[in-house]
Each structure stands twice: as C-alpha cells, then as structure tokens.
C-alpha cells in the first residue's frame, strides 16, 4: 500500500498516557511525511481544550504537524487556523449532564465537549441511570428520547449519538474531506475506542502497550516499542521504502 495519510490516536500511541508529544524522532518523521504530501491526522477522544489549552498536550509548534485534529471520540474536528471545531454530529444534551450531577457524579469527573459527554468508567452505571431518567421525562412530555451510545476506553466512558465514533470521523474528515481512501491510511492506536478507525485502515500500528483486541485486527502491525516508539518503528520503514508499506498478510505481523 502507498501511505497517503497517517491517522493516530494520542494517549498511549504518540505519547505516554496524559503526557505531551515529545518524541523527537516521531516529530521529525511527521515533518518529513508532510513534506512529501502525506496527511497527518490526530484522532483522539480528548476534547480540544485538553489538547490545545495552556497546559495542553500539543505546543503551538507541534499543532502545525497536523492537517486536522479529530476530537471527542469522533464528534468534532478542528483544522489549524479555524477559530473553533466543526461538529460532526448534534450537540450534547445539557439535560443528561444535569441529571448526572443530580445522581452525585462529581462535577470534576464529568467532561463535556461540543458533542460528547465523558466520565470515569466507575461512574458508568450512574451515567446510564441519568440517561434513562432523562428519557423517561422526555417521553412523558411527548419529546423524543436522547439517543446515546457508550464507548469505553480503558478507565473512561464517552457518550455520543449512535454511529458516531473515530471510524465515522475518519470517513468524514480523511476520506470525504481529503480524498484519501481508508486503504491508503496508516492508522495507529492503543485503546478499545480506536478499533472503529483502525479496522478501516490499510494497516494498523498497535504498540506493545496496545489493547489485546487491537492486536487481533487482521490488519494489525505489532511493534516492539510502546507508545510513540512503536509508531516510530513503522514510520522508519515507510520513509525508507518511499511511502510504501506491505499490508499485514496475517494478524499480528511484526514490523520489518
């Protein structure tokens, strides 16, 4: 396959969990790929403020590495130069957030973006109860219920409208928006919420710290390195081979 886009998760993939992007070789590789016309896309479950804020994961200089930053697990996308992210689905429901707080989910563990509602995995039962309570009231009032799907990723859960996930965003942003087919995308991700977009890619880099289900994908390339070091291993091959990469012949292929 010829690599025309590299689509990556953040935590546990291009940096350590909740750590900023600092790997110098990976940063250099991204710059070389961009110079050769390859699109670099971040596909994260984080909200944009966490990525770009004063204590965010990306410096102003590193933001320039990306052609697009998909946030909120696929619910929105931000393009460098834009003033605000563009939503890819409907806005989140304040009713659900209010009910989560009423059920004693602490405000400090409820995060809301433009489209997503997020909390810790341990609070998922209360979050589900909150959604049920809101929908019972809506039905009693003759209103449509709030339709949300729960997406689990390690110690967090995200609530988004059905069918909205990182794979949906890849098709909207990279395929429709950039004209790059999924088969021309090299994906990279470690967590369960990355499965939806990794499965669409021509090849999927799974670092050694990756989720077991990710490693079982038929297009998975396993690496010896964890976090950013895993992707670095594969991008060395891509750059050395003139942007060409042999897709895995079987699950669990090791990088050459």
């Amino acid at each position: 396959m010829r690599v025309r886009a590299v689509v990556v998760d953040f935590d546990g993939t291009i940096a350590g969990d909740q750590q900023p992007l600092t790997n110098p070789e990976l940063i250099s590789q991204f710059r070389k790929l961009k110079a050769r016309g390859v699109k670099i896309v971040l596909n994260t479950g984080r909200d944009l403020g966490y990525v770009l804020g004063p204590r965010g994961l990306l410096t102003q200089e590193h933001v320039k590495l990306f052609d697009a930053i998909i946030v909120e697990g696929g619910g929105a996308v931000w393009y460098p130069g834009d003033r605000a992210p563009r939503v890819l689905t409907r806005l989140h429901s304040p009713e659900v957030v209010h009910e989560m707080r009423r059920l004693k989910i602490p405000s400090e563990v409820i995060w809301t973006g433009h489209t997503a509602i997020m909390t810790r995995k341990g609070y998922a039962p209360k979050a589900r109860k909150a959604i049920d309570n809101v929908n019972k009231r809506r039905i009693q009032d003759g209103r449509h219920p709030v339709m949300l799907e729960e997406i689990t990723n390690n110690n967090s859960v995200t609530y988004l409208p059905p069918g909205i996930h990182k794979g949906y965003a890849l098709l909207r942003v990279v395929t429709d928006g950039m004209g790059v087919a999924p088969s021309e995308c090299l994906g990279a991700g470690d967590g369960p919420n990355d499965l939806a977009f990794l499965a669409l890619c021509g090849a999927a880099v799974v670092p050694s710290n990756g989720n077991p289900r990710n490693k079982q994908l038929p297009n998975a390339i396993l690496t010896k390195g964890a976090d950013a070091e895993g992707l670095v291993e594969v991008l060395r091959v891509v750059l050395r081979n003139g942007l060409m990469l042999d897709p895995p012949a079987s699950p669990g292929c090791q990088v050459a």
Side-chain angles (χ1 to χ4, degrees):
M1 60 176 280
R2 181 173 181 83
V3 176
R4 295 187 58 214
V6 177
V7 185
V8 297
D9 172 48
F10 199 98
D11 296 275
T13 302
I14 63 171
D17 188 41
Q18 300 184 51
Q19 299 298 314
L21 174 62
T22 57
N23 187 290
E25 185 173 359
L26 181 62
I27 293 167
S28 174
Q29 289 173 335
F30 279 174
R31 287 179 175 141
K32 290 176 182 177
L33 289 165
K34 281 181 65 70
R36 300 179 70 172
V38 176
K39 302 296 185 182
I40 309 294
V41 177
L42 181 62
N43 199 354
T44 178
R46 300 284 188 180
D47 64 83
L48 190 61
Y50 192 93
V51 176
L52 302 182
R55 298 183 180 180
L57 300 174
L58 293 177
T59 66
Q60 288 293 326
E61 185 63 27
H62 294 159
V63 167
K64 299 175 184 177
L65 296 171
F66 299 96
D67 294 279
I69 297 178
I70 296 166
V71 293
E72 301 181 31
V77 59
W78 180 77
Y79 297 96
D82 280 4
R83 297 183 64 182
R86 307 178 191 183
V87 297
L88 299 176
T89 182
R90 60 176 169 77
L91 301 179
H92 77 76
S93 170
E95 289 177 85
V96 172
V97 176
H98 177 78
E99 185 65 15
M100 289 169 69
R101 291 181 176 135
R102 195 187 71 80
L103 293 178
K104 308 301 183 184
I105 298 180
S107 294
E108 61 267 24
V109 297
I110 301 172
W111 299 273
T112 59
H114 288 75
T115 62
I117 302 170
M118 296 156 273
T119 189
R120 295 292 185 193
K121 188 176 180 180
Y123 292 100
K126 285 188 176 181
R128 294 181 202 123
K129 179 66 174 175
I131 295 168
D132 287 342
N133 289 350
V134 166
N135 284 338
K136 286 176 183 177
R137 291 196 294 267
R138 279 176 158 258
I139 291 170
Q140 289 173 355
D141 295 341
R143 295 183 293 156
H144 292 295
V146 175
M147 302 300 292
L148 294 171
E149 283 187 351
E150 182 179 292
I151 302 170
T152 302
N153 187 50
N154 300 325
N155 193 38
S156 67
V157 289
T158 299
Y159 296 91
L160 282 163
I164 306 301
H165 45 62
K166 289 187 176 185
Y168 168 82
L170 181 146
L171 294 175
R172 284 283 305 275
V173 174
V174 183
T175 301
D176 295 344
M178 299 177 179
V180 179
S183 60
E184 300 172 306
C185 292
L186 175 64
D190 71 305
N193 68 335
D194 297 318
L195 282 164
F197 91 87
L198 293 180
L200 295 172
C201 295
V205 179
V206 182
S208 61
N209 54 293
N211 183 272
R213 289 182 63 196
N214 296 31
K215 295 179 180 181
Q216 293 169 4
L217 286 167
N219 62 343
I221 297 176
L222 306 187
T223 67
K224 296 177 182 178
D227 303 328
E229 287 299 330
L231 182 56
V232 163
E233 291 175 34
V234 180
L235 292 184
R236 285 182 191 139
V237 176
V238 172
L239 287 164
R240 185 173 66 235
N241 293 346
L243 305 184
M244 299 301 295
L245 180 70
D246 291 334
S250 59
C253 169
Q254 290 285 344
V255 65

